[in-house]
Amino acid sequence: MDVRVKDIRKEFSHLPALENLSLDIRSGELIALLGPSGSGKTTLLRLIAGLESPTRGTIYFGEEDASSKTVQERNIGFVFQHYALFRHMTVLDNVAFGLTIRPSGTRPPKAEIRRRALDLLDLVQLSGLEKRYPAQLSGGQRQRVALARAMAVEPNVLLLDEPFGALDAQVRKELRRWLREIHDRTGHTTVFVTHDQDEALELADRVVVMSKGRIEQVGTPDEIYDAPNSPFVFGFIGESNCLPVRVESGQIWLEDRLIGLSAPGEADGSARLFFRPHDIELVDGCGGCLAGIVVQSRRVAGTRHVEIEIGAGRARVEIEVPPQKAIGEASRLAFRPTRFKLFRD
Amino acid sequence: MALTSARGWQFRQPSVLPGFGLALGVTLLWLTLIVLIPLSGLAWRSSALGWQTFWSLATDPRTLHALWISFGCAFLAALVNVVFGVMLAWVLVRYRFPGRRVIDAMVDLPFALPTAVAGIALTTLYAPNGWIGAVLAPLGIKIAFTPAGIVVALIFVGLPFVVRTVQPIMEEIDREVEEAAATLGANRFQTVSRILLPDLLPAVLTGFALALARGVGEYGSVIFIAGNLPYVSEIAPLLIVIRLEEFNYPAATAIAALMLMVSFAMLLVINLIQAWSRRRYGYGA
């Protein structure tokens, strides 16, 4: 089901947590809300769920205005970071809970509920564990029970609040892949909150980058990584370098040097130059380049990370070079960004 | 067999917490001095009676009736305390209102108040000419000087046990669990009755057991309000005192031994239920 958030504002004791925020979520989409803590991503998720009510604004489920509906009426599936399983119930009862509490008119017969719960447990690969209690499961298994429980009510939209946040790195990676598979198979509209950009970029169809209660950028993982539209997004997603530069008649200057990059059509004035550590080429000699003294050189897996101090201002940047290239500390290194972006102050 | 038993439980196990031997020794010594020696004295005394004498003393109708009153009233009072104690704890944990701290402190009063004072105060209130008794008397309800009065007194002394055992567990309830139930479509009533209360069951059982044990042994407050009529409102602890005053030590011993056995059996059963539910819900373990 489509979910539309329109001009939402949310205040907590008069402090704004979300400001005039709008977002369209398409049916069947897997969308990630990504941002640092305090960016309002969990608040947005809870507003969609109906666990919080907006100070202003509207939330539509399909064509219907869901703003005034209670959590119970919205028929959503919510997965919490710390599972929030019912510990006095077996795994099967946990999954079946949403169906067993329905009023007798809409409640499926007992055998049907059991069958559906077992099917879901099969889907989340927990067949055979239905008689266990949550305390007898590992973290990853518990989160899968929580997901099965949320899906049992056939929700309009599935909302996951940092679903893998409490798990260790290995399990996290596994569950990520597995969640993608489940999503492709079931086609639920899914929104998940994360502060882990790898998770967002790897898993989501579209990523919503949030900061300070606002949406910074919405786009596919490629768009977000390759074409960040604000200094915040450039700095928050992936590794990046930032240098204070000047634009003069279409050429970019760092202090008193031309750095060999042109910005045609840019007005003169100061700006900030952003580029990724791997989007560079090393150059010999320097007729227009960035050059500086190597401060530190570290081998990280398949590349070598080199930290360089540039110019009189001693601005530090980090670049990635092929690991076989020998780099001595205090040696001089010249390079030029191959892709970059200018942001005006 | 010999092999397995030799490799079974070891007394010494390497541990980061030293002093197991010392701690266990002190504990056992203490328990022996305070609990085991007096209780074994009781057991020894009653075994000296001989089976025949013991049986005839134990099956004395007056004794049986006193035991019935003691355990029955304590059981009823503990049940009432479970219902209202859980409600009281709920109000104290869940709501913020002026005077909450005062009420919270008042819960402990029955712990501190001399039970005789409580008994006299309750008697004054519930006697046919007391404030509450005067209201109930025209309706034909008599509280003071009947077993109902005993139940009232035991409710009074047992209340803090339930509240104080349930309260901390209630405070730990994860808000997310309630939210999870709501997102699955559960209304408030379903959330409370199917999620929150079952979750509290082990704590409630502990509170029940404590209140029950306290009620069975209560003496001070009950003797004032009960009226102490043999075969009507006479509790077992009082009967023990009466027998002692008659220098009828064998009878006193027999009643005490019976109380001990029944209490122990009840507490053991409750403890087993608790252990089972704790294991199931994964507390601690």
Side-chain angles (χ1 to χ4, degrees):
Chain A
M1 182 173 285
D2 287 352
V3 175
R4 280 189 302 137
V5 175
K6 204 160 176 300
D7 299 325
I8 282 282
R9 181 184 174 82
K10 174 68 183 172
E11 292 171 3
F12 289 113
S13 52
H14 300 294
L15 293 172
L18 292 177
E19 295 186 78
N20 304 327
L21 181 151
S22 295
L23 177 67
D24 283 5
I25 299 162
R26 294 189 281 264
S27 187
E29 201 172 28
L30 180 54
I31 216 165
L33 305 181
L34 175 65
S37 52
S39 58
K41 52 194 194 301
T42 294
T43 306
L44 177 57
L45 194 77
R46 292 172 63 86
L47 281 168
I48 297 174
L51 291 169
E52 308 279 355
S53 52
T55 309
R56 219 175 41 223
T58 331
I59 292 166
Y60 295 95
F61 278 24
E63 290 309 308
E64 216 179 338
D65 181 356
S67 310
S68 56
K69 284 190 175 180
T70 62
V71 206
Q72 286 91 346
E73 292 165 342
R74 290 192 197 191
N75 193 35
I76 48 110
F78 203 102
V79 174
F80 296 85
Q81 180 177 2
H82 297 287
Y83 331 122
L85 294 177
F86 310 134
R87 58 181 175 179
H88 63 281
M89 291 186 192
T90 61
V91 166
L92 187 75
D93 290 341
N94 262 285
V95 176
F97 182 79
L99 296 173
T100 52
I101 54 164
R102 285 198 180 160
S104 52
T106 55
R107 184 174 55 222
K110 260 198 171 138
E112 164 76 9
I113 291 178
R114 189 182 154 78
R115 196 188 55 74
R116 267 164 72 176
L118 286 172
D119 281 354
L120 278 165
L121 283 174
D122 191 39
L123 180 71
V124 299
Q125 297 161 9
L126 288 176
S127 301
L129 299 184
E130 65 269 11
K131 290 203 183 76
R132 300 267 192 101
Y133 286 88
Q136 300 166 315
L137 300 179
S138 72
Q141 289 172 327
R142 285 184 212 180
Q143 199 54 297
R144 284 187 274 163
V145 174
L147 187 70
R149 181 178 69 177
M151 289 194 297
V153 294
E154 277 163 16
N156 291 324
V157 51
L158 201 51
L159 307 165
L160 303 98
D161 186 8
E162 303 245 8
F164 312 131
L167 303 171
D168 59 58
Q170 193 63 37
V171 180
R172 229 163 141 147
K173 272 203 161 153
E174 253 168 56
L175 280 191
R176 226 187 263 172
R177 207 163 308 139
W178 166 88
L179 179 65
R180 182 74 230 184
E181 273 170 33
I182 296 241
H183 176 264
D184 292 344
R185 213 175 323 161
T186 59
H188 284 297
T189 309
T190 307
V191 184
F192 74 99
V193 158
T194 181
H195 61 255
D196 178 345
Q197 44 176 300
D198 290 344
E199 202 166 285
L201 297 177
E202 186 181 323
L203 201 52
D205 296 323
R206 284 198 301 155
V207 178
V208 178
V209 184
M210 295 182 65
S211 158
K212 294 180 187 158
R214 294 169 196 280
I215 291 181
E216 292 279 340
Q217 188 170 4
V218 184
T220 64
D222 283 352
E223 287 165 3
I224 295 284
Y225 191 82
D226 293 333
N229 64 3
S230 72
F232 172 81
V233 178
F234 214 123
F236 184 68
I237 306 286
E239 299 295 319
S240 65
N241 294 301
C242 171
L243 286 173
V245 292
R246 237 169 343 104
V247 181
E248 265 171 40
S249 47
Q251 293 295 315
I252 301 177
W253 294 72
L254 177 71
E255 292 165 3
D256 55 350
R257 285 158 141 286
L258 265 173
I259 60 174
L261 299 175
S262 56
E266 279 283 341
D268 288 0
S270 65
R272 276 183 291 165
L273 175 78
F274 280 82
F275 62 94
R276 306 243 181 244
H278 52 80
D279 285 337
I280 55 116
E281 55 180 356
L282 293 175
V283 290
D284 304 326
C286 196
C289 66
L290 286 164
I293 307 295
V294 173
V295 192
Q296 208 182 45
S297 160
R298 277 170 292 126
R299 170 72 188 267
V300 179
T303 58
R304 189 175 296 282
H305 292 195
V306 182
E307 214 174 304
I308 303 173
E309 274 184 1
I310 292 174
R314 293 193 152 191
R316 283 202 177 192
V317 297
E318 189 173 277
I319 59 170
E320 288 176 22
V321 301
Q324 58 273 18
K325 186 163 174 66
I327 300 220
E329 285 193 7
S331 65
R332 201 174 156 75
L333 199 64
F335 67 95
R336 192 182 296 136
T338 50
R339 297 164 66 132
F340 63 92
K341 194 153 169 124
L342 278 180
F343 289 105
R344 310 306 296 240
D345 296 317
Chain B
M1 264 319 276
L3 254 176
T4 49
S5 65
R7 281 149 105 245
W9 188 76
Q10 288 181 319
F11 188 74
R12 265 181 182 282
Q13 288 190 341
S15 159
V16 287
L17 281 175
F20 171 69
L22 183 66
L24 185 69
V26 171
T27 312
L28 282 182
L29 179 70
W30 187 249
L31 262 181
T32 308
L33 283 176
I34 300 294
V35 180
L36 284 180
I37 291 181
L39 287 189
S40 55
L42 177 61
W44 178 71
R45 274 291 206 147
S46 46
S47 68
L49 291 175
W51 183 243
Q52 285 279 303
T53 335
F54 179 79
W55 185 248
S56 67
L57 285 170
T59 50
D60 174 50
R62 188 170 166 191
T63 306
L64 284 181
H65 197 272
L67 285 170
W68 162 244
I69 288 288
S70 269
F71 283 100
C73 289
F75 189 81
L76 268 182
L79 276 186
V80 173
N81 271 331
V82 159
V83 175
F84 289 94
V86 169
M87 264 171 64
L88 184 51
W90 178 262
V91 169
L92 288 177
V93 170
R94 281 317 179 92
Y95 305 107
R96 294 291 170 266
F97 52 91
R100 187 178 69 91
R101 300 234 168 260
V102 179
I103 294 180
D104 203 0
M106 267 165 55
V107 169
D108 285 330
L109 280 183
F111 274 149
L113 205 64
T115 49
V117 176
I120 293 166
L122 288 172
T123 312
T124 320
L125 277 178
Y126 285 95
N129 54 356
W131 287 354
I132 300 177
V135 178
L136 294 175
L139 307 171
I141 303 171
K142 255 188 92 188
I143 303 273
F145 317 124
T146 66
I150 302 178
V151 175
V152 169
L154 295 184
I155 290 173
F156 177 83
V157 296
L159 181 68
F161 290 93
V162 176
V163 177
R164 290 297 180 234
T165 45
V166 173
Q167 206 176 3
I169 308 293
M170 218 178 243
E171 264 160 11
E172 275 172 27
I173 290 178
D174 194 354
R175 256 218 98 72
E176 287 189 348
V177 170
E178 284 169 70
E179 290 180 344
T183 60
L184 292 167
N187 57 37
R188 274 313 279 168
F189 176 73
Q190 286 169 321
T191 305
V192 171
S193 65
R194 305 188 63 150
I195 304 295
L196 299 183
L197 289 183
D199 207 42
L200 288 173
L201 196 64
V204 171
L205 266 176
T206 309
F208 177 79
L210 289 174
L212 177 69
R214 179 76 171 85
V216 168
E218 176 58 16
Y219 176 78
S221 60
V222 175
I223 53 166
F224 288 99
I225 200 169
N228 307 325
L229 298 169
Y231 299 103
V232 178
S233 58
E234 186 178 58
I235 55 167
L238 177 68
L239 191 57
I240 295 175
V241 174
I242 291 173
R243 293 299 183 228
L244 287 176
E245 282 169 352
E246 294 167 348
F247 302 105
N248 189 353
Y249 297 130
T253 320
I255 303 168
L258 273 175
M259 285 192 78
L260 188 67
M261 284 188 283
V262 178
S263 301
F264 185 74
M266 283 189 345
L267 293 178
L268 188 68
V269 168
I270 292 171
N271 264 313
L272 287 177
I273 297 174
Q274 269 181 305
W276 167 78
S277 61
R278 257 167 226 260
R279 212 173 29 248
R280 229 178 60 158
Y281 297 0
Y283 287 95

